[in-house]
Amino acid sequence: MKPARPKRTRLRAAAKAAVPSLSDAQVKTVQDRIGHHFKDRQLLVQALTHPSAVASADSVRLSNQRLEFLGDRVLNLLIAERLIERRKTESEGDLAPRLNRFVKKGACAEAFRHFKLQEFIILSDGEIASGGNERESTMGDACEAVIGAVYLDGGLSAARKFVEAGWAHQFSSAPVETRDPKTLLQEWAQGQGLPLPKYHVVNRSGPDHEPLYEIEVQVPPHGEATATGSSKRDAERNAAALLLNTLTGTS
């Protein structure tokens, strides 16, 4: 007969083996904060369950790792969709760094903090003691898992609403370096209900290894501007900045 384990060890083992859960009040609070009420509330519980809170043998079944995997893919799709829809003049090279900024772990953690969900992450005692619910990686993983859970429970439209709400501040406070003059001019035109700015090459001069482009941009009927640059992209940006300054007094 094996000797009985000390009581403390038995209690820890029992706690580790317990199925994670949230109270009805906690579920209601989380749902109200994220704006989605789950048909399958177990998806929400799983999304908020850190791997440390369950035995390793149950990690795949009970923790949020699989939902995190799914949520990461859904988030990338939704952010890419948003960029394609709202950044109509930008190339893949312009869009990629924007995408990376919004899907990185820190951005997910910021969205999670926006909803004030840190206290609802289900963690082991050790993780709680070490401040795990405020750790960026933990919050970021949980946020991706919640996206995955919302997607499974309510579809892509529900996940889109979650992302739009959670990332609203980040969308509106994009750093200046990611908001080039072409983008700003496009947004100004859209805000005025006007067609998108039109660019065309007026002239190209210089040798092949050192070209000079002259580009004109137009936003009828509000005017046009012409500028030069060592590439089409630079010339377009310079022209957009010049016209934007004329139209709004900024660049």
Side-chain angles (χ1 to χ4, degrees):
M1 179 181 296
K2 294 183 179 179
R5 289 178 294 179
K7 182 178 180 182
R8 180 177 298 177
T9 302
R10 293 200 305 272
L11 289 175
R12 285 179 177 173
K16 193 78 169 181
V19 176
S21 65
L22 295 171
S23 69
D24 290 344
Q26 288 174 319
V27 169
K28 182 180 185 306
T29 299
V30 173
Q31 291 184 142
D32 288 345
R33 290 183 184 180
I34 69 175
H36 178 76
H37 289 259
F38 281 80
K39 297 184 287 290
D40 181 2
R41 60 181 285 174
Q42 189 54 41
L43 282 170
L44 176 60
V45 173
Q46 184 177 354
L48 293 172
T49 301
H50 187 266
S52 68
V54 295
S56 57
D58 294 324
S59 183
V60 169
R61 182 171 61 91
L62 299 177
S63 81
N64 61 10
Q65 290 176 307
R66 285 168 59 85
L67 288 175
E68 174 200 342
F69 171 83
L70 175 62
D72 174 64
R73 275 68 184 172
V74 175
L75 176 62
N76 273 266
L77 171 62
L78 291 174
I79 296 296
E81 174 189 76
R82 189 181 195 277
L83 292 174
I84 287 292
E85 179 182 301
R86 304 194 182 194
R87 307 286 179 179
K88 298 183 185 299
T89 65
E90 294 187 4
S91 67
E92 179 185 2
D94 294 319
L95 295 173
R98 294 184 190 278
L99 176 69
N100 292 336
R101 175 180 181 270
F102 290 126
V103 302
K104 66 183 181 181
K105 199 67 71 178
C108 294
E110 185 175 337
F112 200 74
R113 281 191 293 266
H114 165 79
F115 290 116
K116 299 179 180 168
L117 300 179
Q118 302 95 302
E119 66 183 284
F120 300 102
I121 303 176
I122 302 169
L123 299 158
S124 68
D125 290 343
E127 282 291 315
I128 292 172
S130 65
N133 63 338
E134 292 289 346
R135 192 173 296 126
E136 182 175 281
S137 60
T138 301
M139 289 189 291
D141 290 347
C143 187
E144 290 175 341
V146 170
I147 293 171
V150 170
Y151 169 75
L152 288 178
D153 191 74
L156 197 59
S157 61
R160 186 181 293 110
K161 289 178 182 177
F162 176 90
V163 171
E164 288 290 338
W167 271 255
H169 174 70
Q170 298 180 64
F171 290 150
S172 65
S173 62
V176 173
E177 63 267 21
T178 68
R179 296 174 62 80
D180 63 38
K182 288 182 64 178
T183 299
L184 294 171
L185 181 60
Q186 174 187 315
E187 291 176 349
W188 180 87
Q190 289 177 319
Q192 301 296 315
L194 299 170
L196 295 178
K198 295 181 179 180
Y199 298 84
H200 69 272
V201 178
V202 174
N203 188 40
R204 182 198 182 282
S205 59
D208 290 341
H209 68 279
E210 196 174 350
L212 183 67
Y213 290 90
E214 184 178 2
I215 298 285
E216 181 183 67
V217 59
Q218 298 178 341
V219 182
H222 289 269
E224 63 279 326
T226 303
T228 59
S230 58
S231 68
K232 285 184 179 179
R233 177 183 291 183
D234 287 344
E236 287 175 349
R237 286 173 172 167
N238 293 339
L242 187 60
L243 181 54
L244 191 64
N245 185 57
T246 300
L247 295 172
T248 68
T250 62
S251 61

